[in-house]
Amino acid sequence: MNSLSAGWVIPADGAPIRDGRVTWEDGRVVDVSPGRGERHYENAIILPGLVNAHSHLEYAVYAGFGDGEPFGQWMGTHITRKRALDFDDMVAIACRGAADCLTAGITTTADYSFSGAAAVAAARLGLRAIVYLEVFGSDPAGAASQLAQKQEAAGSSPLVTLGVSPHAPFTCSIAVYEWALSLGLPVGTHLAESANENDWLESGAGPLAANAAILVPPTGKRAVQTLESVLGPTLLCAHCVEVDDTDVALLAELDVPVAHCPRSNALLGCGVAPLADFLAADMRVGLGTDSPASTPSFDLWEEMRAAIYASRGRERRPDSLSAAAALELATAGAARALDLTGEVGVLAPGARADITVLSIAGSPYDPVEDPIVAAVFGGSPDRILETIVDGTTRYRQGETSWHEVHSTASTARARMLA
Ligand SMILES: [Zn+2]
């Protein structure tokens, strides 16, 4: 039996516990209650490991590429630079991404993977992941062969579940979505991320037309309507920014899980998704960092705050997203969106022992008045003291360094800049 205690424990499915302790065995939580553990952190908060609902570990060193370019052009910049990489480079970069996630207190990520390298990296660093292997095109047989090749590259690991990701409605046909949904694997896509996407789908216009050779033909409909026949509870949809009231009603009615990525959407100039509408419709929503291709970091703390800024600013109401609601989007809410309810995103008997310890020492929230407010507004990767996945410590501040992971990933970035 292992145990850890701190000034506060936020179990996520109940009230915070003062002077709390988490006990676990064989990778599962056994008990969460007041008490002192075999190891104790003063001035700290124990939380469920954070659950990232959308990432691309393979883009961990793409920071700043095409900054300020319109969406279609930005995508072209990334496609061109990615051609400089081989699979080993992609693994090296994805390892950097997995290390960054663990450093930020993320223990599970839903990752859309171009090559399968993200699965190798997550397994190597001990990050729990659903890795949705990306497929492109109009032809299901072509997509099947892309998937088979990427599955082989991805390998297998107890912490990693492989899924499939038809990339987006403008790069994949409905037949490819139907094929993907027939496999019985987790399925994720990008949906309604930008106005450029709707422009292409509705009329073949806009900046995406420059990449017409790799796109499917326009459908004459907006993105959400384009996918209407395949939307459902097992298709995770990232972004959903360019949605109107009819689209939101449809997404809600079909119980479509959404990954909300406010920093990525803002930095790419795509807009602000109507999170308050999603939540009012009782939709399953998780928060996603996306990747340094479009955001500065895999920092889900900053993402929680961005979600709050964006929602309160958009709705002009300070109660449109509370600190507790933001934390839920990064823990139990994300778990619900990923169909991992009760497994991750919560500290309760039977759940996976995925645990994050956050220091509050010296922060403006010390001494703690409300531990959830302190965590959400005061949390950051440099305050993470320890990250535990499946009962095993994968990161400990001051002890885990990942020097080689960082330098190998930097070499791959240099290749893209050459
Ligand atoms: Zn993405």
Side-chain angles (χ1 to χ4, degrees), residues 154-307:
S156 69
S157 151
L159 286 179
V160 177
T161 303
L162 294 181
V164 57
S165 171
H167 170 258
F170 58 96
T171 54
C172 291
S173 67
I174 294 299
V176 165
Y177 280 94
E178 287 170 344
W179 159 80
L181 288 161
S182 75
L183 299 174
L185 300 173
V187 188
T189 191
H190 298 96
L191 178 63
E193 180 172 2
S194 74
N196 293 173
E197 175 178 348
N198 280 337
D199 289 345
W200 171 262
L201 288 170
E202 286 185 299
S203 64
L208 281 175
N211 303 310
I214 57 166
L215 307 184
V216 294
T219 60
K221 292 184 278 191
R222 293 158 53 78
V224 171
Q225 268 111 46
T226 294
L227 287 197
E228 182 167 0
S229 68
V230 293
L231 290 173
T234 59
L235 180 60
L236 175 67
C237 291
H239 304 303
C240 297
V241 176
E242 282 292 330
V243 290
D244 61 18
D245 291 349
T246 312
D247 294 334
V248 175
L250 184 68
L251 293 169
E253 185 194 325
L254 297 172
D255 189 24
V256 176
V258 168
H260 176 54
C261 308
R263 288 188 309 162
S264 172
N265 302 150
L267 284 177
L268 292 182
C270 288
V272 180
L275 175 66
D277 296 347
F278 297 159
L279 297 178
D282 208 21
M283 286 169 59
R284 292 179 292 141
V285 183
L287 204 53
T289 60
D290 215 332
S291 76
S294 57
T295 65
S297 58
F298 294 105
D299 180 350
L300 207 45
W301 304 98
E302 195 59 42
E303 203 69 52
M304 287 182 233
R305 292 189 284 273

